[in-house]
Each structure stands twice: as C-alpha cells, then as structure tokens.
Amino acid sequence: MQIINNPDKNTWADILKRPTQTVDDIEGIVSEVFNDVKTNGDSAIKTYTERFDKVTLESNLVSSEEIEEAVKSIPEALKTAIANAKNNIEAFHAAQKTEKIELETTNGVQCWQEKRAIERVGLYIPGGTAPLFSTVLMLAAPAKIAGCNEIVLCSPPNKEGKLAPEILYAAKLCGVTKIFKVGGIQAIAALTFGTETIPQVYKIFGPGNQFVTVAKQLATKYGVAIDMPAGPSELLVVADNGANASYIASDLLSQAEHGADSQVILVATSQELIAKVSEEVEAQLQVLPRKEIAEKAIANSKSIFVENDEIALDLINQYGPEHFIICSKNEDYYVENIRNAGSVFIGDYTPESAGDYASGTNHTLPTNGFSKAYSGVNLDSFMKSMTFQKISKEGILNIGETIELMAEAEGLQAHKNAVSIRLKDLK
C-alpha cells in the first residue's frame, strides 16, 4: 500500500481517485450488447454467453431438477449457516416496515400514503471467481418481505454451464420465482428488454463489475429503475494508535480479495500504526488463496496519515466509502459526524465481513462515491410510496379558491376550471 503523509487538501481528489475505468471507456461495448439483445433476444444472449462465459447452453432457465440437485449437495452445516444469516437479514428488513400515514390537511381534505411492492424485480448475482450466494439473501429476502410478485435472478454460468449450488439453494430458500444462467452486460440487457424466455422487470438490483455497473446505468435510459450504481468493492478504515493492526489488516484484505479493481484505504492518526498495518498486510497476504487478486487491489490502495480526527473525518466524507470501519478511541465523534458512507462498522469486534454475511444489514451498497447521494439496499428499495386523497364537498369549498388563484397565476385555465365548475355547482 502506498503511504501518504499529511496530504494537502488540494491533492485529496487525486489521492482518493478510484482505480476504475470511465463510463466513456465502457459504454461503447455496453450499448452494442444492449442493441443486440433488444433486437435478437435469446439468440444474442446465447452468443454472448459463448463468447464471455465460454459455454454453450441449451437453455438459460435453471430447471427444478437442477435446483433439487443443488439442495442435496449443500452440507448441513452450511445450510444452517445460510438459514441463520437469512433469519437475521429478514428480521432487520422486516423491522423497516412502516404503517400507512394518514392526515386531514384541511377540513374535508383527506390525504394518505401507502407503500406497494414493485411487481417485477431482477436480481443480478455476480459469479466468476467468487459466486456471491450471500447477495441472493441480501436481495431476495427483502424482495419477498416487500411482496414482489416476480423475483427474477440472473447469474453467469461456470464452464460446465451450471450455477453454484449455494446460489440455487439460497434462491429457493428465499422464494426466487425464476433463475437464469446469464451474466454480465447481456443479463442486464435481458432484464431491461425481456427476451423470449427472460421476463422484463421494473427494477434491477445487485452489484457487479464495471461493465455491469455501466449496463445498469444504461438500463435507466430505457425506463428500468436500478437500486444504485454499485461497482467494484471498497473499504476505508479510520484508526488511531490504540487500534489492533492485525484486525485492520484482515479487514483491508477482506475487501482487496474481491477483485483487482477493488480499493482499500487506511486513514490513521498514527504513523506507527500505519507501519504495523503494512507489515501485517504483507504477512497475511502470503497465505491467502486469492493472493494474486488481493495483491493487485492492494497496489491500488493507500495508507494516509493525518494529524487529527477532524482532518480524517473531512477526508473520509469527501471520499464517501462504501464500507467504513471505525477503530478509534474517539468512535462517537465519527459515528455522530459521518455524512457519506454506505455502511458503518464500529469497534474492534465488528469486521466488515459481518455485514457481508450475517449481522442483518444489507451488503448491497453504493460505491465510487455514490454514498454521498444514494442509500444501500433496504426494504423500501423494493417498494413505491403511493399517495391518495379524497376531498369532500366541505373540503373543495375550503381549498377551491386557493387552487383557482394558483392555477390562474400559472396560466393554466383548464386547471382552474376543473375546480370552478365544482364550486359553481356547490354554491
């Protein structure tokens, strides 16, 4: 990790730059795939699966036999672990339900707000080097609680043309309605337009690589909503001289092993701690099965020394990390004043891995600084708020003149007339 001491604030933007390609670098190929899938449907999907995943499939749809085979192959201990994680995720997301809000704003004017589930949602589950079955729990469990009628899952197949059995088991456990062996840009395009076999959805969820992130952003141009721009994983740890260097190193590496384009940052008020963490990172790195991937991510990562907590917090809010770990005696200061972070982990015994798997919070979070404006996935992500109103005779008499005056001032005579005609009848 590159060590930076007391950087001038004018250099922060460059220091904190993510190691990602720009949208311009990627959008060309994404648009090409989108246009092909829109025109040629499943035929295009098959071509891209052969090109990118190196496998030819007779059918994209996962059969019930494949699901049952997957269920049988999962060790009982892992089934129990998945069930425990699912219970915690469900408990936390079910607690986010809100009641109908109802109010008489003026005598005779009744307004209320209710939430309705999004009918059809698409879940993208990364495969590749690490099939993220935990993401199935994070997306399908709240979708089911929200009441989504159709939950469509797409994930890239392996070289044998199969999905990881853990993904299929988690999907069955959480009530996913259809599962397809489709990954990458073509999966997002299929969920956007629909094909002969893959349903079009109203909103797409799930993390992915830079190509998937740009594909999701392109989907919004075609009227399909997305959860957020969620690209390569990132983590920032803030620490002081009392922090545990080995714990910090393990957290940094836990995110570095996601992918070569992941980024991890340590912000510390102690140069001695930075030195200890650097040693621990090197030592722990040597025994990781995904060492090669983690090494590339670590090369894009930084340890930044600053003189005090105020400067540290300012820098962290400018970065807006996806995951933010606080290992400081002054933890209350950071908890109370952090403005931009996807999810916050507090204290020595709260590793980021807990949020990734089993504490109950959602791990689908905004990256690349989007935590400044986006929330992580939650129950409301799968719902829409709808407003209702009912106005009585008394009510229209009470607010009618207000509406008439405002409509006339805006030059919208028909708006005014829609009220005036009613007031004339009542008077």
Side-chain angles (χ1 to χ4, degrees), residues 106-423:
T106 299
N107 287 342
V109 180
Q110 197 71 27
C111 299
W112 68 96
Q113 176 183 283
E114 295 184 31
K115 291 180 180 176
R116 299 281 190 271
I118 299 170
E119 290 179 272
R120 280 185 278 166
V121 296
L123 315 182
Y124 183 78
I125 308 301
T129 60
L132 300 183
F133 65 91
S134 57
T135 303
V136 179
L137 304 179
M138 296 291 173
L139 299 178
K144 195 71 177 174
I145 293 167
C148 301
N149 289 334
E150 285 190 67
I151 306 172
V152 182
L153 186 153
C154 289
S155 189
N158 62 20
K159 298 295 189 294
E160 286 74 49
K162 296 182 178 181
L163 298 187
E166 295 87 355
I167 287 178
L168 299 183
Y169 176 70
K172 177 179 172 63
L173 201 63
C174 294
V176 171
T177 50
K178 287 183 179 177
I179 307 169
F180 294 94
K181 294 178 273 192
V182 184
I185 302 166
Q186 62 270 27
I188 306 302
L191 294 170
T192 300
F193 303 116
T195 70
E196 297 91 327
T197 56
I198 301 171
Q200 181 189 44
V201 301
Y202 300 147
K203 190 171 183 178
I204 299 171
F205 294 80
N209 61 23
Q210 296 170 56
F211 291 92
V212 168
T213 299
V214 173
K216 284 171 64 181
Q217 290 170 306
L218 186 59
T220 63
K221 294 185 179 180
Y222 296 96
V224 176
I226 64 171
D227 50 0
M228 74 196 82
S233 190
E234 57 193 44
L235 168 74
L236 187 148
V237 179
V238 67
D240 58 21
N241 58 6
N244 186 309
S246 63
Y247 292 177
I248 292 170
S250 69
D251 287 323
L252 295 171
L253 289 169
S254 74
Q255 288 308 291
E257 74 172 353
H258 265 298
D261 53 2
S262 296
Q263 185 179 57
V264 295
I265 291 177
L266 170 62
V267 177
T269 54
S270 166
Q271 291 176 321
E272 183 182 351
L273 177 75
I274 288 176
K276 288 179 181 177
V277 171
S278 296
E279 290 175 7
E280 280 288 340
V281 166
E282 284 304 312
Q284 294 183 28
L285 187 58
Q286 302 313 311
V287 296
L288 290 180
R290 293 168 67 87
K291 175 186 173 183
E292 189 175 335
I293 291 172
E295 275 183 325
K296 290 176 181 175
I298 289 294
N300 293 322
S301 302
K302 299 174 176 71
S303 294
I304 304 171
F305 169 74
V306 294
E307 291 184 350
N308 56 54
D309 292 323
E310 289 74 19
I311 297 172
L313 182 68
D314 195 11
L315 184 146
I316 293 160
N317 275 320
Q318 180 167 325
Y319 182 70
E322 177 191 18
H323 305 99
F324 175 41
I325 297 181
I326 303 170
C327 297
S328 167
K329 295 186 289 288
N330 204 6
E331 69 179 36
D332 288 347
Y333 172 75
Y334 288 99
V335 170
E336 291 163 11
N337 293 288
I338 184 67
R339 298 189 305 276
N340 303 320
S343 191
V344 182
F345 303 79
I346 306 158
D348 283 346
Y349 301 103
T350 316
E352 188 278 328
S353 304
D356 269 353
Y357 292 107
S359 63
T361 62
N362 208 290
H363 77 203
T364 309
L365 302 165
T367 66
N368 206 28
F370 283 107
S371 66
K372 295 171 184 174
Y374 284 83
S375 306
V377 165
N378 54 73
L379 187 66
D380 278 352
S381 304
F382 296 90
M383 307 184 86
K384 309 155 295 174
S385 292
M386 296 172 61
T387 57
F388 300 79
Q389 53 203 284
K390 184 171 183 180
I391 302 176
S392 66
K393 293 178 182 178
E394 179 191 13
I396 197 67
L397 286 168
N398 281 335
I399 67 168
E401 185 181 357
T402 295
I403 300 167
E404 286 180 311
L405 288 167
M406 293 178 72
E408 188 169 31
E410 290 190 341
L412 299 175
Q413 192 61 40
H415 279 65
K416 178 184 177 182
N417 290 344
V419 174
S420 299
I421 196 169
R422 289 169 167 82
L423 293 180

Side-chain angles (χ1 to χ4, degrees), residues 69-89:
E69 183 183 330
V71 169
K72 291 175 185 174
S73 73
I74 304 294
E76 289 303 317
L78 181 56
K79 285 181 179 178
T80 300
I82 291 172
N84 288 342
K86 176 175 175 281
N87 289 342
N88 290 345
I89 293 163

